[in-house]
Amino acid sequence: MSSNARPVGSVEFAVPPMPEYLQFVRAIVGATAALDDRLQPGRVADVRLVVSEAATNAIRAQAAIQVTTPILVRCDLTGDRIVVEVADHGPGFDPSAVPALPEVETPERLRHESGLGVSLMRQLADSAELESGSDGTVVKFTFVVADA
Amino acid sequence: MQLDVQRYARDTCVVLAVLGELDLAGAPRLRQSVVSETATGIRHLVLDLTAVDFIDSTGLGVVVGALRRLRAHDAELSVVCPEQRIRRVFEMCDLDRVFTLHETVDDAVSARESV
């Protein structure tokens, strides 16, 4: 372990649940992740995409029940990993209840303009955790930073 | 950068050149542009994503929706996407099996003319 030589930092902020703030969320979390110079530029883009998907889900969840409480975003550099967390005050979410999309080459698939975000997040993060209840959802993604 | 959509004609096609970040904030702007073009009876629409800096699943959804709308009107959609970072998002969602991702607008136009 050589974490004492690694950047350790964290950023935590709240944003109104509005799409106009997504760029800001990506910029802050992306800049924080990029502090770790072991992270390849492509992986910084992955972190930006994952936090954007998570914040988008949070905005949609709160819009569904018209809750305007800010969404909380956190990004921690902990030495050998980057942890990104997004917390909302939406109605809760059961990932097992999300229906699978039709096969990509079938005409039925074109009726689905949403539903790709969860798949993207799972592909891009090294691990994902979700806690959800009637008072909101917290999603946490971990990106392992390998030594060059 | 907010999303901008610039429209121009190229041969028999209409090109919508998208600039900026295609997310939940920008998606309505592009969706409205596609709906407007579809209503005019267009035969071939080219979505040029060359100047798109960021796309997520919401942005992909707009592109999927554009294909559905155009096919419903017996029209065609071509997607120009030379940037690997944007192309990769299509590939992760297997949408490169649905769309031919062209390198340039000229490629997209000539590919259609050669059919």
Side-chain angles (χ1 to χ4, degrees):
Chain A
M1 295 287 288
S2 57
S3 60
N4 57 340
R6 302 305 184 196
V8 176
S10 85
V11 61
E12 184 175 1
F13 56 99
V15 291
M18 297 166 63
E20 290 77 6
Y21 284 91
L22 284 170
Q23 269 190 320
F24 174 79
V25 170
R26 288 194 294 270
I28 296 296
V29 171
T32 304
L35 290 174
D36 192 326
D37 59 12
R38 295 167 299 166
L39 202 62
Q40 298 295 316
R43 287 297 275 165
V44 175
D46 292 348
V47 173
R48 282 167 41 86
L49 181 50
V50 166
V51 75
S52 191
E53 295 288 352
T56 296
N57 287 347
I59 291 167
R60 285 183 162 144
Q62 292 196 192
I65 56 172
Q66 298 180 327
V67 170
T68 57
T69 310
I71 289 163
L72 300 176
V73 182
R74 187 178 173 94
C75 178
D76 291 313
L77 307 185
T78 63
D80 66 343
R81 60 196 58 214
I82 293 169
V83 180
V84 175
E85 198 171 288
V86 176
D88 69 51
H89 303 275
F93 170 70
D94 178 4
S96 65
V98 177
L101 289 172
E103 267 299 301
V104 72
E105 284 157 323
T106 61
E108 291 75 27
R109 176 64 187 80
L110 298 182
R111 296 200 188 100
H112 297 260
E113 293 187 28
S114 61
L116 294 169
V118 171
S119 167
L120 273 177
M121 289 187 278
R122 284 181 174 150
Q123 288 183 65
L124 293 171
D126 291 304
S127 69
E129 297 171 37
L130 181 142
E131 285 179 34
S132 193
S134 59
D135 57 347
T137 299
V138 180
V139 288
K140 186 158 92 174
F141 300 96
T142 300
F143 300 82
V144 175
V145 181
D147 279 305
Chain B
M1 177 183 176
Q2 288 190 324
L3 193 85
D4 189 22
V5 180
Q6 296 176 355
R7 178 195 188 280
Y8 62 93
R10 171 68 65 85
D11 297 340
T12 59
C13 311
V14 167
V15 181
L16 294 179
V18 188
L19 297 87
E21 306 205 345
L22 188 45
D23 60 6
L24 187 65
R29 171 85 177 83
L30 178 58
R31 188 180 293 113
Q32 185 53 51
S33 296
V34 170
V35 168
S36 298
E37 293 301 332
T38 307
T40 65
I42 187 177
R43 307 309 309 160
H44 184 206
L45 181 68
V46 177
L47 277 187
D48 181 6
L49 306 182
T50 303
V52 168
D53 301 316
F54 174 86
I55 191 168
D56 62 9
S57 65
T58 305
L60 292 181
V62 177
V63 182
V64 169
L67 180 61
R68 188 191 71 245
R69 287 186 177 88
L70 286 156
R71 282 188 178 168
H73 290 78
D74 293 323
E76 295 177 38
L77 175 70
S78 298
V79 178
V80 177
C81 184
E83 295 293 334
Q84 182 53 37
R85 67 180 185 282
I86 304 297
R87 187 179 283 255
R88 179 168 173 255
V89 185
F90 277 85
E91 291 168 352
M92 282 191 294
C93 295
D94 287 334
L95 291 176
D96 55 322
R97 291 159 56 192
V98 176
F99 301 99
T100 300
L101 301 175
H102 299 278
E103 290 288 323
T104 65
V105 170
D106 285 342
D107 286 350
V109 173
S110 60
R112 196 226 181 198
E113 287 172 345
S114 64
V115 172

